[in-house]
Amino acid sequence: MLPCFVDFHCHSTSSDGSLPPRELVQSAHRQGVHWMALTDHDTTAGLSEARAEAEALGMRFTNGIELSATWENGHCHILGYGFDKENPALKEAIACFQVARSGRIQKMVDKLGELGLSMSVEDLKIPPGTSAGRPHLAKAMVEKGFVPTMDEAFEGYLVKGAVAYVDKEIYTPQEVIQLIAQAGGFAVLAHPTSLRLKRESFLECLIEFKGFGLAGVEAYHSSHSRHQCNRLVRQSREAGLWAVGGSDYHGDAKPWVKMGRLKKGRKILSAWISPEFLEQLSTKS
Ligand code: AMP
Ligand code: ZN
Ligand code: FE
Ligand code: FE
């Protein structure tokens, strides 16, 4: 395969990104991205629209998703790639995720109300079928004038452990990894630094997750320094896992993150990604 410009981690308005799937793909095309995956949080709702646009533009497209799993400290996000989005067990789990997310947003709105920041879920203007998340809430808090910026909404109220935070996770990492694998896909640990593990326990965790069926590690991510990317590539090799990468583009919700790029505008190149991952995906899309 000729070297190309890739992005295997992007969000659309099907979750908390700011561009609808079609516009997201068009934007990726304008940036020169050749191969992308749409990885919305706990939903596959945007995949058909994104794939149709990618095909029309002659880009390669891979089905993706970013599933949240239970985790004590920090966050555990597992990316899924190349799965069958019609798989019944996956569809059922996604339906459960959506119920959990909606219920959780209501609880967070109630908590904010108790603190004197009174809103209704309708104020969040979340279109039906969207995977509702904290950025929707943060945006509404800014619009209501409760906080000057989304960042301050997160820092003051919405980060894990803050006054209005409520958990949404319903499956363990093992369950999430197995869900992706049994739907014919490959599970990849997203932005591993969010697990907040020290070096030794991180390696142990990779080995444990590999035992559950984990295939790769998101070594390249816009939140990682060049040094962190290199270290994660080494660690993924040590654990016998593929190295994968994406920007985690969200559009206006995280304006400092650019499509197809890492910190300091570095382009994500296919040559950095484990060839086995690209080969396996080639057979699926
Ligand atoms: P949730 O899925 O509801 O738990 O929300 C998590 C999402 O919030 C992540 O995917 C991030 O993209 C987003 N997020 C976290 N911190 C911030 C922030 N300070 N500003 C904007 N978005 C954020
Ligand atoms: Zn997000
Ligand atoms: Fe994530
Ligand atoms: Fe993400």
Side-chain angles (χ1 to χ4, degrees):
M1 198 191 68
L2 288 172
C4 65
F5 185 16
V6 301
D7 198 335
F8 291 112
H9 192 160
C10 304
H11 296 269
S12 77
T13 48
S14 289
S15 64
D16 55 4
S18 62
L19 293 178
R22 178 172 295 111
E23 288 175 36
L24 179 78
V25 174
Q26 289 167 349
S27 168
H29 185 251
R30 277 197 302 276
Q31 307 293 317
V33 173
H34 295 98
W35 190 349
M36 70 178 286
L38 175 62
T39 53
D40 275 314
H41 297 284
D42 307 328
T43 183
T44 54
L47 294 180
S48 301
E49 182 183 317
R51 175 178 292 278
E53 189 61 22
E55 282 171 5
L57 294 169
M59 285 169 66
R60 293 187 89 154
F61 183 82
T62 292
N63 280 351
I65 193 165
E66 182 174 14
L67 298 176
S68 302
T70 50
W71 198 254
E72 199 69 42
N73 297 306
H75 295 279
C76 177
H77 290 179
I78 305 286
L79 294 156
Y81 295 108
F83 49 82
D84 168 17
K85 72 181 178 62
E86 301 307 327
N87 177 271
L90 180 63
K91 283 175 88 168
E92 197 183 317
I94 288 172
C96 295
F97 271 117
Q98 294 311 310
V99 172
R101 278 185 169 273
S102 311
R104 176 251 205 162
I105 289 287
Q106 181 64 63
K107 283 188 202 150
M108 291 180 86
V109 165
D110 293 346
K111 280 198 170 195
L112 287 170
E114 286 163 19
L115 296 166
L117 308 185
S118 185
M119 284 192 289
S120 71
V121 172
E122 287 69 40
D123 292 332
L124 273 56
K125 297 186 241 101
I126 302 171
T130 304
S131 202
R134 284 177 286 164
H136 296 107
L137 195 49
K139 189 159 177 267
M141 288 169 74
V142 174
E143 282 166 7
K144 286 263 175 192
F146 295 153
V147 283
T149 62
M150 282 175 69
D151 246 1
E152 279 159 274
F154 268 92
E155 284 313 312
Y157 301 92
L158 307 178
V159 290
K160 193 164 184 171
V163 276
Y165 179 77
V166 176
D167 273 333
K168 62 174 185 303
E169 291 76 17
I170 45 175
Y171 300 112
T172 62
Q174 177 169 13
E175 287 168 328
V176 162
I177 292 167
Q178 288 173 346
L179 200 56
I180 294 164
Q182 60 81 37
F186 303 104
V188 170
L189 176 64
H191 41 70
T193 53
S194 72
L195 295 180
R196 298 202 188 151
L197 292 176
K198 295 230 179 353
R199 193 171 296 233
E200 280 290 296
S201 357
F202 176 59
L203 270 172
E204 281 166 21
C205 173
L206 289 187
I207 305 286
E208 187 189 10
F209 282 13
K210 193 184 175 200
F212 302 152
L214 189 78
V217 171
E218 191 178 44
Y220 301 94
H221 182 270
S222 56
S223 71
H224 302 159
S225 65
R226 191 189 282 253
H227 173 74
Q228 279 175 317
C229 295
N230 293 340
R231 180 166 52 78
L232 285 160
V233 169
R234 270 199 316 276
Q235 288 171 320
S236 55
R237 267 198 213 120
E238 246 174 86
L241 294 161
W242 298 331
V244 180
S247 65
D248 209 354
Y249 179 78
H250 280 71
D252 295 343
K254 277 188 183 177
W256 60 92
V257 179
K258 304 295 175 202
M259 171 86 70
R261 289 169 190 269
L262 303 177
K263 271 212 168 112
K264 301 188 177 163
R266 281 203 297 157
K267 278 190 178 185
I268 307 167
L269 304 174
S270 60
W272 299 347
I273 312 286
S274 294
E276 297 89 342
F277 175 75
L278 300 175
E279 279 159 24
Q280 289 291 327
L281 286 187
S282 299
T283 66
K284 293 186 181 278
S285 58

